């Protein structure tokens, strides 16, 4: 956000290159566009190449990319949005479910026009584009996505006579029953993996919560949501996942690495952690999309990932828009996906990662991706998550309908604390 006047000449040829002077425009004024990106979202090599390309194509701008830690980023972004803009960010990478929280006070630029006119909003992955909206306006521009797939043991599938991954829920249950033999678990599914449950609920036509007349209410007690929970319970029973813990307690990569689990539901990148812990599994791990109710399409999945936003208080709006356009555009979005094993932001770009099994499975599922309710209050839900407690109650013998009604009521309280 800071503007500077370059010197008429630099001391050396290397400094001349660093100053980015345009031939015939020595001493012309240039602007710095400050961009906040999150740690490990992009490699240093990618950022170096992007910066060089951007500054070459936009000679009036210099890029200042500042890497941020996820821990405490919410408070840091809020402070930047409320500040006077001096030396703050002009474009920011944010988690896709965080956009509504930052947009609610009117501190983000409305990017609806650019999204519709220039950036291909109609082809964006819904799990990224939908949470980027607030009050029917587009504030977040999808950058990259990641979602869960089924990570499986190819050798255990072969031993069970399974020659190809299942494509429907019914096939998935049948295969998992065949794998759940002796000391082997057909699947390790933690009892509080609410992200996976959400996909099953969405597949049934249900939701975690729905908005009406400006207020939100929990809908875990709908018939569709209850069907999703019933499938989760049936699948969970085909392994030894704890009913009272999520997928990180204990970390499911470690459980899978022990060698007696046929399947887990996780992002493909977890396979690297599995092989590090048990090198004997190298070459034995495969991936397939979470199966849907029919073979026509994969199951719905929660889409995580990042959107790009532009603060209202930027004094380099044009430069910020240029950065967003470049990062989210086909060329650099495809390069990012290949470099980092992400899903590109558009379904039409999925072919760019088709050669890598895990990412290809993820991309297929991303086409059915969804996100949590686009309300600033969702952060309160995740801080005191009644969905997890509900799942444990059902998996330990509680009446699903009764417990779902209680959990839906608690969701409503958290999403609409004023009780409108």
């Amino acid at each position: 956000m800071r503007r500077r006047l370059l010197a008429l000449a630099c001391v050396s040829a290397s400094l001349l290159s660093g100053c980015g002077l345009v031939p015939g425009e020595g001493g012309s004024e240039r602007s710095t566009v400050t961009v906040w990106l999150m740690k490990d979202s992009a490699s240093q090599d990618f950022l170096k190449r992007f910066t060089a390309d951007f500054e070459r194509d936009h000679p009036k701008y210099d890029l200042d990319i500042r890497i941020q830690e996820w821990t405490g980023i919410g408070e840091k972004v809020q402070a930047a949005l409320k500040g006077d803009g001096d030396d703050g960010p002009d474009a920011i990478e944010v988690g896709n479910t965080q956009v509504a929280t930052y947009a609610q006070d009117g501190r983000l630029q409305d990017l609806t026009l650019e999204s519709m006119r220039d950036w291909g909003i109609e082809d964006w992955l819904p799990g990224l584009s939908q949470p980027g909206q607030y009050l029917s306006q587009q504030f977040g521009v999808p950058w990259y996505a990641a979602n869960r797939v089924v990570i499986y043991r190819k050798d255990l599938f072969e031993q069970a006579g399974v020659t190809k991954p299942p494509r429907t829920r019914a096939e998935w249950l049948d295969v998992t029953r065949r794998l759940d033999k002796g000391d082997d678990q057909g699947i390790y599914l933690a009892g509080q993996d609410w992200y996976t449950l959400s996909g099953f609920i969405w597949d049934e036509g249900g939701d975690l919560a729905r908005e009406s007349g400006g207020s939100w209410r929990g809908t875990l007690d709908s018939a569709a949501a209850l069907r999703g929970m019933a499938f989760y319970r049936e699948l969970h029973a085909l392994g030894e996942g704890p009913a009272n813990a999520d997928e990180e307690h204990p970390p499911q990569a470690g459980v899978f690495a022990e060698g007696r689990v046929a399947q887990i539901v996780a992002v493909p990148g977890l396979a690297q952690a599995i092989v590090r812990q048990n090198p004997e599994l190298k070459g034995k791990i495969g991936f397939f999309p979470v199966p849907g109710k029919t073979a026509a399409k994969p199951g719905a999945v929660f889409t995580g990932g990042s959107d790009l936003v532009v603060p209202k208080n930027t004094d380099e709006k044009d430069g910020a828009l240029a950065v967003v356009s470049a990062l989210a555009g086909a060329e650099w979005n495809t390069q990012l996906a290949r470099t980092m094993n992400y899903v590109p932001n558009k379904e039409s770009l999925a072919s760019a990662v088709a050669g890598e099994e895990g990412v290809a499975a993820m991309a297929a599922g991303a086409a059915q991706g969804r996100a949590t309710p686009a309300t600033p209050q969702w952060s309160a839900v995740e801080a005191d998550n009644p969905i997890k407690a509900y799942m444990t109650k059902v998996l330990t013998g509680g009446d699903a309908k009764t417990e779902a009604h209680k959990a839906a009521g608690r969701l409503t309280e958290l999403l609409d604390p004023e009780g409108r």
Side-chain angles (χ1 to χ4, degrees), residues 50 54 58 61 119 317-327:
F50 174 78
F54 181 86
H58 303 82
Y61 297 120
W119 298 337
K317 179 181 177 181
D318 289 346
L321 293 179
V323 170
V324 171
S325 181
L327 283 173

Side-chain angles (χ1 to χ4, degrees), residues 124-141:
W124 285 343
L125 295 176
L128 291 180
S129 64
Q130 290 173 359
Q133 298 173 7
Y134 181 65
L135 300 179
S136 301
Q137 295 173 306
Q138 194 75 40
F139 294 96
V141 174

Side-chain angles (χ1 to χ4, degrees), residues 37-386:
L37 298 180
M38 301 308 300
K39 183 180 179 181
D40 297 329
S41 287
S43 68
Q44 287 299 313
D45 177 67
F46 173 91
L47 295 177
K48 182 179 179 179
R49 289 186 291 110
F50 174 78
T51 298
D53 185 83
F54 181 86
E55 292 182 347
R56 182 174 60 250
D57 290 346
H58 303 82
K60 65 179 291 186
Y61 297 120
D62 288 332
L63 276 189
D64 178 12
I65 296 178
R66 303 181 183 182
I67 303 304
Q68 310 295 317
E69 298 282 348
W70 282 108
T71 302
I73 190 59
E75 294 80 2
K76 190 171 184 177
V77 170
Q78 291 285 24
L81 296 178
K82 295 175 182 178
D84 59 12
D86 184 34
D87 201 33
D90 300 296
I92 310 173
E93 173 195 350
V94 301
N96 61 323
T97 62
Q98 299 172 338
V99 176
T101 299
Y102 300 139
Q104 65 175 327
D105 294 326
R107 294 193 172 96
L108 295 181
Q109 295 281 350
D110 178 6
L111 305 178
T112 307
L113 175 61
E114 292 83 0
S115 298
M116 297 177 67
R117 183 188 62 200
D118 305 321
W119 298 337
I121 188 174
E122 69 282 349
D123 194 28
W124 285 343
L125 295 176
L128 291 180
S129 64
Q130 290 173 359
Q133 298 173 7
Y134 181 65
L135 300 179
S136 301
Q137 295 173 306
Q138 194 75 40
F139 294 96
V141 174
W143 190 24
Y144 67 83
N147 52 265
R148 287 160 177 75
V149 302
V150 182
I151 300 177
Y152 74 102
R153 285 276 301 277
K154 292 181 178 180
D155 55 333
L156 294 183
F157 269 53
E158 291 172 0
Q159 292 169 22
V162 181
T163 58
K164 59 183 180 180
R167 296 182 60 195
T168 69
R169 279 192 188 177
E171 292 175 357
W172 195 16
L173 284 174
D174 178 63
V175 165
T176 305
R177 290 191 188 100
R178 292 159 64 181
L179 293 163
D180 192 38
K181 302 292 185 181
D183 293 332
D184 291 338
Q185 298 182 53
I187 190 169
Y188 179 86
L189 186 62
Q192 294 183 349
D193 184 355
W194 68 276
Y195 289 113
T196 297
L197 170 65
S198 298
F200 299 158
I201 290 174
W202 292 327
D203 260 352
E204 294 290 348
D207 282 298
L208 305 177
R210 285 184 175 167
E211 186 268 341
S212 178
S215 61
W216 288 84
R217 62 174 297 270
T219 53
L220 289 172
D221 52 351
S222 71
L226 287 168
R227 290 195 298 271
M229 184 66 223
F231 179 76
Y232 191 98
R233 179 167 52 183
E234 194 171 3
L235 192 62
H236 175 268
L238 299 175
E240 299 174 9
N244 61 347
D246 62 24
E247 63 275 20
E248 291 300 322
H249 300 88
Q252 60 180 342
V255 177
F256 192 95
E258 292 174 1
R260 309 308 301 180
V261 172
Q263 306 170 89
I264 57 174
V265 181
V267 294
L270 205 66
Q272 299 176 19
I274 292 169
V275 172
R276 281 198 300 269
Q277 294 178 63
N278 185 353
E280 293 183 2
L281 294 181
K282 185 176 182 179
K284 298 179 180 179
I285 294 176
F287 313 86
F288 60 87
V290 174
K293 294 187 71 175
T294 71
K297 60 184 181 180
V301 288
F302 170 78
T303 301
S306 288
D307 283 12
L308 300 168
V309 300
V310 177
K312 200 72 169 287
N313 60 6
T314 177
D315 57 11
E316 291 296 347
K317 179 181 177 181
D318 289 346
L321 293 179
V323 170
V324 171
S325 181
L327 283 173
E331 178 184 357
W332 286 102
N333 198 250
T334 297
Q335 289 200 38
L336 181 72
R338 289 171 175 162
T339 300
M340 304 300 295
N341 288 339
Y342 292 145
V343 177
N345 61 6
K346 292 182 178 180
E347 187 175 353
S348 60
L349 299 177
S351 59
V353 294
E356 203 288 315
E357 183 183 3
V359 183
M362 189 165 58
Q368 313 303 322
R370 297 277 297 274
T372 51
T375 166
Q377 298 299 324
W378 190 256
S379 58
V381 172
E382 295 201 20
D384 180 24
N385 199 326

Side-chain angles (χ1 to χ4, degrees), residues 11-47:
V11 177
S12 67
S14 61
L15 286 177
L16 179 63
S17 174
C19 288
L21 290 174
V22 182
E25 294 186 7
S28 63
E29 189 177 79
R30 292 169 59 90
S31 300
T32 296
V33 182
T34 301
V35 182
W36 284 8
L37 298 180
M38 301 308 300
K39 183 180 179 181
D40 297 329
S41 287
S43 68
Q44 287 299 313
D45 177 67
F46 173 91
L47 295 177

